[in-house]
Amino acid sequence: MLNRLSDLNICSKDDFVAALANVFEYSPWIAEETAALRPFAGVKELFVAMKSAVDRAPEELRLALIRAHPDLANKTQRAAGLTVESHAEQNSAGLDQLSDAEYKAFERVNNAYRAKFGFPYIVCVRRHTRDSILCDFERRLPNDASAEAQTSIGEICRIAALRLDQLVASDDKLAVHGRLSTHVLDTHSGRPAADIPVELTELSELGEARVVARAVTNSDGRTDQPLIGGRPLPIGRYELTFRVGAYFADRGVPLSDPPFLDRIPLHFSVSDPEGHLHVPLLVTPWSYTTYRGS
């Protein structure tokens, strides 16, 4: 349910807390403290107020906030029931469809992390793929408990910002979204290439590749909507496939049988979840090139 900020500014404290209680996992005390600071000029100001409540909280309350979060890809916790928010967030990264090898990898790092730090590993999964989550686990395991607690709070605030973005309608916006786009140019004829099917796939070291988006280029050689938009670009490795054989055949270009270029796969990586990554294709029946655009 999308709440208008103007309504949240004037509603009762109980209604305000009920609307925002789980922006921070199982921690309605943050919304309770923030309610007294109304009205807010925008969602950015609201988020700063909620984050400030976390920053000034005593260490034991901050630790309780960390411990309120579930382990990632934990079958027992999923069966017992995650919050609606956590369920959607974990599913967005494909953590509900892990291979046996991925489950074993997540179980190993979850156990190692808990054994060392005494609290669950937390990361804003909507900014990651399965592979990048496992890499982040390994990167953070050597840290000390104090550094990890601070990192965990930072990730919790990233999660909260995305939840707040989904919950509150405001004239201003939090900087939590990225965008992935493409553009196909037919350099044989010197014009945009229309009606080319495009498929975006998330690659994985231990599990199955996962199709993220399918689209067809329009008369401008672009897709009507970004391949990823309105959310972060998950850190990871991808394949962008263009079906160009039929495009050139339909335009009467003499081709070999089978055509020299039919399906063109471009492999690339995402490292900035809140950035704009443009991956164009410049193509002829016999050659192609790409570059990192913006």
Side-chain angles (χ1 to χ4, degrees):
M1 177 181 177
L2 196 62
N3 301 276
R4 291 185 300 176
L5 181 63
S6 57
D7 293 336
L8 291 174
N9 276 331
I10 61 174
C11 68
S12 69
K13 178 180 178 180
D14 287 346
D15 287 345
F16 180 89
V17 173
L20 304 182
N22 217 33
V23 167
F24 287 83
E25 188 90 348
Y26 288 123
S27 300
W29 59 269
I30 298 169
E32 289 172 1
E33 288 194 20
T34 307
L37 302 176
R38 294 179 291 170
F40 298 103
V43 69
K44 292 179 181 177
E45 186 177 320
L46 170 58
F47 176 67
V48 168
M50 299 187 84
K51 183 176 181 299
S52 295
V54 175
D55 291 339
R56 64 175 177 266
E59 183 177 350
E60 62 270 19
L61 196 52
R62 287 160 60 88
L63 187 56
L65 172 60
I66 294 171
R67 287 176 172 158
H69 287 74
D71 288 329
L72 295 183
N74 184 295
K75 291 183 179 180
T76 301
Q77 289 180 342
R78 291 186 73 89
L82 301 174
T83 63
V84 172
E85 294 84 358
S86 286
H87 190 272
E89 288 156 0
Q90 292 204 23
N91 288 0
S92 75
L95 300 187
D96 58 330
Q97 300 175 1
L98 297 181
S99 67
D100 288 344
E102 287 173 319
Y103 267 120
K104 289 178 182 177
F106 272 90
E107 184 178 32
R108 176 182 61 82
V109 291
N110 269 322
N111 291 342
Y113 190 94
R114 270 194 177 272
K116 179 172 182 179
F117 300 115
F119 50 77
Y121 163 82
I122 299 173
V123 71
C124 182
V125 295
R126 291 180 65 195
R127 302 177 75 249
H128 288 268
T129 59
R130 295 160 291 170
D131 282 3
S132 66
I133 292 171
L134 289 171
C135 287
D136 190 66
F137 256 123
E138 301 289 359
R139 179 182 62 81
R140 287 166 54 180
L141 269 173
N143 291 343
D144 61 39
S146 176
E148 266 311 286
Q150 189 59 40
T151 298
S152 297
I153 292 294
E155 291 297 319
I156 287 170
C157 288
R158 289 185 187 276
I159 295 167
L162 281 162
R163 291 182 180 183
L164 199 62
D165 173 72
Q166 292 181 319
L167 280 172
V168 178
S170 176
D171 290 339
D172 65 336
K173 301 294 181 184
L174 294 169
V176 293
H177 296 168
R179 184 157 61 102
L180 173 63
S181 59
T182 190
H183 187 195
V184 185
L185 293 172
D186 174 359
T187 52
H188 174 65
S189 64
R191 61 190 179 194
D195 301 320
I196 291 185
V198 179
E199 183 175 272
L200 177 67
T201 303
E202 174 195 316
L203 304 177
S204 173
E205 290 285 351
L206 298 176
E208 296 291 328
R210 191 166 67 120
V211 175
V212 176
R214 292 186 176 94
V216 177
T217 57
N218 56 28
S219 60
D220 194 35
R222 304 176 187 272
T223 56
D224 290 337
Q225 302 295 329
L227 295 172
I228 298 178
R231 63 185 179 96
L233 300 181
I235 298 167
R237 299 176 302 108
Y238 295 85
E239 178 181 274
L240 187 54
T241 304
F242 302 83
R243 295 177 178 267
V244 301
Y247 166 83
F248 286 113
D250 289 346
R251 282 149 185 79
V253 179
L255 302 174
S256 60
D257 186 14
F260 178 65
L261 294 176
D262 187 14
R263 293 165 51 100
I264 298 176
L266 300 182
H267 285 203
F268 64 96
S269 297
V270 170
S271 59
D272 180 7
E274 289 76 43
H276 175 204
L277 183 59
H278 186 61
V279 185
L281 179 73
L282 285 69
V283 63
T284 77
W286 313 279
S287 64
Y288 65 89
T289 186
T290 189
Y291 58 90
R292 176 174 177 167
S294 61

